[in-house]
Amino acid sequence: MARVVVDVMLKPEILDPQGQAVANALPRLDVTDVTSVRIGRRIELEFSGDADLDRVREIADKLLANPVIEDFTIHADEQVKA
Amino acid sequence: MTMRIGVVTFPGSLDDGDAARAVRLAGAEAVRLWHADPDLHGVDAVVLPGGFSYGDYLRCGAIARFSPAMESIIDAANGGLPVLGICNGFQILCEAHLLPGALTRNQHLHFRNRDQWLKVESTSTAWTGTFTDGQEILIPVKNGEGCYVADQRTLDALEAEGRVVARYIRGNPNGSQRDIAAITNERGNVVGIMPHPEHAVEALTGPSLDGLGLFASVLAHLAGKSAAVPA
């Protein structure tokens, strides 16, 4: 079994209102030195056998992320693989 | 001959019944289509209604875009079939790459539900031919993820090619870039609109009858096309 993690983030130029709302709440915790908050999505895919990262890239590009507004990164989860 | 306009139901569709009723009020036959059925049953045009389709679990419209009906609609739209996507339907059209850009969370994070003034900016689409350029119309808007975004190059191209179909006026309900409420593809047969024309078709239930104009437009468009073809 292999696990692959896909992290999806809004592109830097796309406004992230969710992140902004969180950033605006931080001063209530007396946090004043955080200059930016961006919120993304972590997706874990578990394969029955080995994971083909090229296929994962295709899945991410077609379905998990919208390349118009989002970037994604892929990494194999070593802990589970071991 | 009565025109037949398909209305697709996705799991979670909310406004399919209203869209079908609007089609009937405009004088066409409404043909209910199921998202899992790739057969479009020979309809003359298609409406993707609003609601909260199951694609929203990932991103609005992301999973709905892969429905069997959508595969057929993408092919047909590329062949010139008039397709109108309302609200969630607009999101699905963007996810299907039939329209550029994307719809994201409202800038203020609040769901917006109100009657909204729009300015019609293009009357050369299949769905807006019976309006006049610059006509102001009042139709309801109700969305949580209606903020239209695209890169500057795409926005400039949309403007230059006259593909911004309608803009919000007297207030922008969701932070859409350049106040964009509706856009079209290069050919003008596919239109995505965030507010809900199907909710402005009867005095009893809507703030105006302005929404009927979109459905009347596609009927005029189809009639013009059939008249142009020698019998």
Side-chain angles (χ1 to χ4, degrees), chain B residues 74-167:
Chain B
I74 291 167
D75 285 346
N78 285 327
L81 183 81
V83 178
L84 176 69
I86 302 167
C87 196
N88 201 186
F90 188 2
Q91 295 159 342
I92 294 169
L93 289 175
C94 287
E95 284 287 338
H97 305 301
L98 285 172
L99 294 174
L103 283 311
T104 60
R105 187 75 74 93
N106 290 352
Q107 222 172 70
H108 42 64
L109 288 171
H110 299 291
F111 192 93
R112 272 287 180 274
N113 179 11
R114 71 183 191 200
D115 297 334
Q116 173 71 45
W117 284 99
L118 308 177
K119 188 175 188 180
V120 178
E121 303 248 322
S122 169
T123 55
S124 55
T125 80
W127 297 91
T128 52
T130 61
F131 292 104
T132 52
D133 275 320
Q135 186 175 341
E136 296 186 358
I137 61 174
L138 180 65
I139 64 178
V141 68
K142 48 170 185 140
N143 63 67
E145 305 202 22
C147 177
Y148 182 76
V149 298
D151 59 41
Q152 294 304 315
R153 209 169 46 100
T154 302
L155 292 169
D156 290 342
L158 285 173
E159 306 261 12
E161 294 163 18
R163 290 167 54 195
V164 175
V165 175
R167 247 185 264 267

Side-chain angles (χ1 to χ4, degrees), chain B residues 8-16 47-65 70 84-96 99 103 111 141-146 191-199:
Chain B
V8 184
T9 298
F10 297 90
S13 285
L14 183 66
D15 297 321
D16 45 345
V47 177
L48 303 178
F52 300 86
S53 85
Y54 63 134
D56 294 6
Y57 295 127
L58 178 64
R59 266 187 330 278
C60 293
I63 295 172
R65 172 255 173 276
M70 276 311 297
L84 176 69
I86 302 167
C87 196
N88 201 186
F90 188 2
Q91 295 159 342
I92 294 169
L93 289 175
C94 287
E95 284 287 338
L99 294 174
L103 283 311
F111 192 93
V141 68
K142 48 170 185 140
N143 63 67
E145 305 202 22
V191 170
I193 182 166
M194 191 42 61
H196 289 261
E198 80 283 17
H199 293 332

Side-chain angles (χ1 to χ4, degrees), chain A residues 29-51:
Chain A
L29 305 179
D30 291 327
V31 176
T32 54
D33 53 348
V34 172
T35 55
S36 166
V37 179
R38 307 281 293 174
I39 296 179
R41 176 186 281 120
R42 174 189 166 105
I43 299 161
E44 298 180 354
L45 305 176
E46 282 185 10
F47 289 84
S48 53
D50 283 343

Side-chain angles (χ1 to χ4, degrees), chain A residues 2-59:
Chain A
R3 178 188 287 173
V4 179
V5 177
V6 180
D7 283 309
V8 181
M9 292 296 294
L10 278 174
K11 287 184 174 175
E13 66 270 24
I14 304 287
L15 177 80
D16 175 10
Q18 226 181 335
Q20 246 177 17
V22 171
N24 292 340
L26 284 176
R28 292 178 217 159
L29 305 179
D30 291 327
V31 176
T32 54
D33 53 348
V34 172
T35 55
S36 166
V37 179
R38 307 281 293 174
I39 296 179
R41 176 186 281 120
R42 174 189 166 105
I43 299 161
E44 298 180 354
L45 305 176
E46 282 185 10
F47 289 84
S48 53
D50 283 343
D52 175 349
L53 290 186
D54 285 337
R55 259 178 74 221
V56 174
R57 201 162 290 117
E58 196 187 331
I59 292 167

